[in-house]
Amino acid sequence: DYVREQAKYYHRSAAAAYICRKTGDLMTGMNILLSNAGSKEQANPQEAIDYANTVDDPKVWGLLVSFSYKNINYIHAILKQLPSIHLDPVDYIRRIPDSVPVESYINEAEIALKGFQRKLTIAELTHTIVANDAFSAFERSFNRYKSGKPNK
């Protein structure tokens, strides 16, 4: 606790969050990062997103998401990385409050959705290639078996 307080006092929130993560106090680590949104130390949405990705805890993600809906900078940061973080993109976008002007996040939302479409296309192509390759290998093996030749 003393080390965490010192890190917060000297404006080393990333260090304090790291200490919390290492001691298993995940929520406190995220709270430390989010508490800087109005302090002298500059709030860094990317640090909070990286922390949530690292700990990969649903409660930590929930805290970050709830906080982000109150801070447009966090909404922008999350939307920019939505395809690569552990959040349901449709749910996140749907829950953005009506009080946030659409113009302020529509571009990031479109980019995020295009990123997901790209990932889905790549996954589908990979699945098709692997399935075709596996079937071809099975077919070759089966034909060798039918002709009485040993498999290599």
Side-chain angles (χ1 to χ4, degrees), residues 7-43:
K8 282 178 14 182
Y9 177 77
Y10 289 106
H11 307 292
R12 301 285 184 241
S13 60
Y18 174 81
I19 292 167
C20 290
R21 181 170 54 94
K22 286 299 184 183
T23 60
D25 196 358
L26 305 178
M27 292 294 283
T28 301
M30 180 56 79
N31 277 318
I32 288 169
L33 292 172
L34 297 178
S35 68
N36 292 320
S39 71
K40 288 186 266 178
E41 186 180 4
Q42 194 69 322

Side-chain angles (χ1 to χ4, degrees), residues 6-146:
Q6 290 300 310
K8 282 178 14 182
Y9 177 77
Y10 289 106
H11 307 292
R12 301 285 184 241
S13 60
Y18 174 81
I19 292 167
C20 290
R21 181 170 54 94
K22 286 299 184 183
T23 60
D25 196 358
L26 305 178
M27 292 294 283
T28 301
M30 180 56 79
N31 277 318
I32 288 169
L33 292 172
L34 297 178
S35 68
N36 292 320
S39 71
K40 288 186 266 178
E41 186 180 4
Q42 194 69 322
N44 187 344
Q46 188 57 51
E47 272 184 359
I49 292 169
D50 291 344
Y51 180 84
N53 261 335
T54 301
V55 301
D56 197 24
D57 180 89
K59 290 179 182 178
V60 171
W61 275 112
L63 182 62
L64 176 58
V65 166
S66 296
F67 182 83
S68 75
Y69 291 138
K70 300 171 195 153
N71 187 315
I72 192 76
N73 293 333
Y74 281 77
I75 291 175
H76 284 287
I78 289 175
L79 285 173
K80 284 179 183 174
Q81 295 191 33
L82 204 51
S84 60
I85 58 179
H86 305 140
L87 291 177
D88 177 1
V90 175
D91 183 54
Y92 183 79
I93 293 170
R94 280 188 183 149
R95 291 176 47 204
I96 294 175
D98 293 335
S99 61
V100 176
V102 173
E103 301 82 32
S104 67
Y105 69 85
I106 197 73
N107 289 337
E108 282 92 353
E110 286 176 355
I111 291 168
L113 291 177
K114 285 178 184 176
F116 273 106
Q117 288 172 335
R118 220 176 4 260
K119 278 186 162 186
L120 180 60
T121 302
I122 291 169
E124 288 171 345
L125 289 172
T126 303
H127 178 268
T128 302
I129 291 168
V130 169
N132 288 342
D133 191 42
F135 182 74
S136 294
F138 170 75
E139 193 173 39
R140 285 190 306 273
S141 178
F142 184 71
N143 287 337
R144 285 183 180 275
Y145 173 74
K146 280 185 1 184

